[in-house]
Amino acid sequence: MNLYESIESQDKEVFGALQGEEQREAEGLELIPSENYVSRAVREANGSVFTNKYSEGYPGKRYYGGQEFTDEVETLAIERAKKLFGCDHANVQPLGGANANIAAYFAWMEPGDTIMGMDLGHGGHLTHGHPVTYMSKLYNFVRYKMKNVETGEIDYDEMRATAVREKPKMILGGFSAYPRELDWAQIKSIADEVGAVAMADVAHIAGLIAGGVAKNPFDYGFQIVTTTTHKTLRGPRGGLIMTKGVVSNPMKAPEKTIENLPTLIDRAVFPGFQGGPHMHQIAAKAVAFGEALQPAFKTYAAQILKNAKAMETVFRAGGVRMLAGGTSNHLILADVFGSLGIEGKAAEETLNAVGITLNKNAIADDTRPPFNPSGIRFGTPAITTRGFKEGECTRVAELMLDAMKNKDDQSKLDTIRQEIKELAQKFPIPDSFV
Ligand SMILES: *Cc1c(COP(=O)(O)O)cnc(C)c1O
């Protein structure tokens, strides 16, 4: 079936790029831990007529007319998000994860205020105050780290001492390159001790939380939870901010109190930071949240973890050092330079050439440069969507090691490329998960 009939007849250039991407996704294996494949239903919503509509404001309180159906679909997205994460308030308008974080910071803090987040070299995300970001110019970021990079244990004593000294207004738990669970209870108790708001950025693990296989920061009293919707949650690209409590009067700027967080957040997203919401994207979020509420999503989330464990086992047997000693979630950071003598960049390129997409990544306290670090980062959310179980994941991990060890043997790489292609063809990207 040609899904792009109109594009094909009207615009050959864009059609060419689309076809290329279709083929690339079908024939290769996606191991980037922040990527996934959405259902056809999510894509239909994302490509729908809702893209035509301006809907500044919130359901029932908009600045333009004609909102019967945008209100309906945004309310569906909100109610489903609340149910998925067990909270009272959800703002589904952030255009992405970075937008969600900026709005959450803006809701609670004033320029110059201090925020404590995970060290960027130990797994924190760019939006947690990397010097190249705008946020880092606005706020004063202080850090916590792992105590032991071989076990992944966070140094909670140091975290407490830094919090007492620096008095952050917000403590941020969350990561994009950390393979273990955070101790939400510890982080919340430190935040309480210094009077900071506890915010969790669960962008990477939202699907694991929704699927019931990772702990939910709301269960530990966190006041703000932000996430992307397109990683393990398997929705369209987008962001989401959730809180406890209810919106008072969104038309009036409230005092900065915990009770007012829902209102502060709504006002920070719009009109504080964004313009009109992307209603097509919100419709797609509603569809994806509907899918994540199905029992099958729990099975999916559990399988992501089993598959990551299967790959960990192969890497350990192959003598590869892994950050934190392995994984308790969906991703692995492997020190391929330290263990196999292959640089991160060469590993990424070699694996890409055999049909495995992943990214090079610094390993905590890496002494190599960021553009050619010691490690690779990979994960199982996308191949699990494809239907891979432990057996296939074990084989993929074996092929990865084989390719990295034989990076200069072209005929060997060709054989591996062929096996990857056959594996991909055997597990086509599904159209539906319900
Ligand atoms: C991916 C990610 C983001 C940013 O999401 P975008 O949609 O790319 O803006 C923010 N925080 C964390 C922890 C992430 O992993």
Side-chain angles (χ1 to χ4, degrees):
M1 177 170 59
N2 181 4
L3 283 169
Y4 310 114
E5 234 172 82
S6 311
I7 303 176
E8 183 176 14
S9 63
Q10 177 182 318
D11 190 330
K12 291 279 185 279
E13 286 158 293
V14 171
F15 180 69
L18 263 170
Q19 262 191 321
E21 179 63 11
E22 283 266 340
Q23 190 181 350
R24 189 193 70 81
E25 292 188 16
E27 289 182 359
L29 296 183
E30 187 53 71
L31 256 56
I32 296 177
S34 50
E35 293 191 13
N36 215 328
Y37 308 109
V38 299
S39 67
R40 181 156 298 175
V42 167
R43 280 202 277 152
E44 283 176 7
N46 214 29
S48 69
V49 289
F50 279 119
T51 198
N52 297 332
K53 190 73 197 105
Y54 245 116
S55 311
E56 286 169 334
Y58 291 100
K61 299 175 197 71
R62 308 275 191 190
Y63 290 85
Y64 292 87
Q67 308 290 351
E68 299 91 306
F69 306 107
T70 49
D71 278 4
E72 188 177 325
V73 83
E74 185 168 353
T75 303
L76 278 170
I78 291 168
E79 292 307 317
R80 289 174 182 179
K82 283 159 60 175
K83 208 159 159 193
L84 268 180
F85 293 93
C87 59
D88 309 319
H89 181 66
N91 187 307
V92 298
Q93 294 191 2
L95 305 180
N99 305 51
N101 285 348
I102 296 168
Y105 301 158
F106 181 51
W108 188 243
M109 299 193 295
E110 301 299 331
D113 279 348
T114 297
I115 170 165
M116 182 156 81
M118 184 114 144
D119 188 271
L120 301 170
H122 283 214
H125 187 260
L126 274 178
T127 57
H128 303 171
H130 191 285
V132 300
T133 63
Y134 189 54
M135 282 79 84
S136 74
K137 316 252 181 292
L138 270 183
Y139 306 114
N140 170 39
F141 283 87
V142 295
R143 303 290 171 201
Y144 57 89
K145 284 185 166 208
M146 281 175 267
K147 177 153 76 181
N148 180 344
V149 297
E150 305 307 324
T151 63
E153 193 194 343
I154 303 283
D155 195 339
Y156 291 103
D157 295 332
E158 175 76 52
M159 186 180 195
R160 175 170 276 110
T162 307
V164 167
R165 189 179 65 240
E166 303 283 348
K167 303 191 177 43
K169 275 185 84 174
M170 189 180 254
I171 298 185
L172 177 54
F175 51 80
S176 46
Y178 178 72
R180 299 289 183 195
E181 278 209 278
L182 292 176
D183 186 341
W184 300 119
Q186 281 260 25
I187 299 174
K188 179 63 166 63
S189 87
I190 295 168
D192 285 348
E193 204 176 309
V194 300
V197 156
M199 165 171 157
D201 173 358
V202 301
H204 257 260
I205 56 167
L208 305 179
I209 294 170
V213 298
K215 293 184 186 112
N216 184 342
F218 279 127
D219 292 341
Y220 299 86
F222 271 63
Q223 288 109 341
I224 303 176
V225 176
T226 60
T227 183
T228 58
T229 50
H230 49 275
K231 297 181 183 175
T232 47
L233 200 49
R234 207 162 59 184
R237 308 205 76 74
L240 169 65
I241 311 176
M242 295 170 288
T243 45
K244 293 274 187 177
V246 291
V247 173
S248 49
N249 179 4
M251 301 315 220
K252 198 166 149 273
E255 244 188 288
K256 292 206 172 176
T257 62
I258 297 287
E259 295 68 46
N260 286 333
L261 268 178
T263 316
L264 291 163
I265 282 169
D266 277 7
R267 290 181 56 89
V269 173
F270 176 83
F273 178 58
Q274 291 186 170
H278 291 187
M279 291 311 305
H280 56 299
Q281 197 189 25
I282 290 172
K285 286 175 187 173
V287 173
F289 299 162
E291 290 171 1
L293 283 165
Q294 304 297 316
F297 196 81
K298 287 197 161 45
T299 316
Y300 166 62
Q303 192 65 46
I304 292 176
L305 298 192
K306 290 185 208 161
N307 286 349
K309 274 284 169 206
M311 298 186 85
E312 174 201 86
T313 303
V314 175
F315 271 63
R316 180 167 303 119
V320 180
R321 173 180 175 249
M322 286 170 279
L323 180 77
T327 183
S328 316
N329 59 23
H330 61 298
L331 68 85
I332 291 174
L333 281 137
D335 179 1
V336 291
F337 184 72
S339 307
L340 305 171
I342 180 169
E343 296 167 341
K345 186 160 175 275
E348 178 186 300
E349 285 164 5
T350 302
L351 293 167
N352 195 47
V354 299
I356 289 174
T357 312
L358 48 63
N359 60 286
K360 57 183 182 287
N361 213 99
I363 302 292
D365 305 322
D366 208 327
T367 50
R368 297 188 50 83
F371 288 107
N372 193 1
S374 298
I376 52 172
R377 183 187 72 147
F378 60 96
T380 52
I383 52 175
T384 305
T385 290
R386 225 165 160 140
F388 279 35
K389 299 265 188 334
E390 292 93 317
E392 291 79 28
C393 290
T394 298
R395 187 64 192 142
V396 172
E398 287 167 357
L399 292 171
M400 287 167 71
L401 292 183
D402 225 16
M404 287 188 283
K405 286 178 187 162
N406 295 285
K407 71 173 167 50
D408 300 315
D409 181 345
Q410 194 54 49
S411 82
K412 182 95 190 172
L413 295 182
D414 290 343
T415 315
I416 296 172
R417 171 74 191 116
Q418 190 53 34
E419 188 173 339
I420 295 285
K421 199 169 164 178
E422 280 160 19
L423 203 50
Q425 276 160 352
K426 217 173 121 194
F427 290 86
I429 299 164
D431 281 337
S432 159
F433 316 121
V434 294

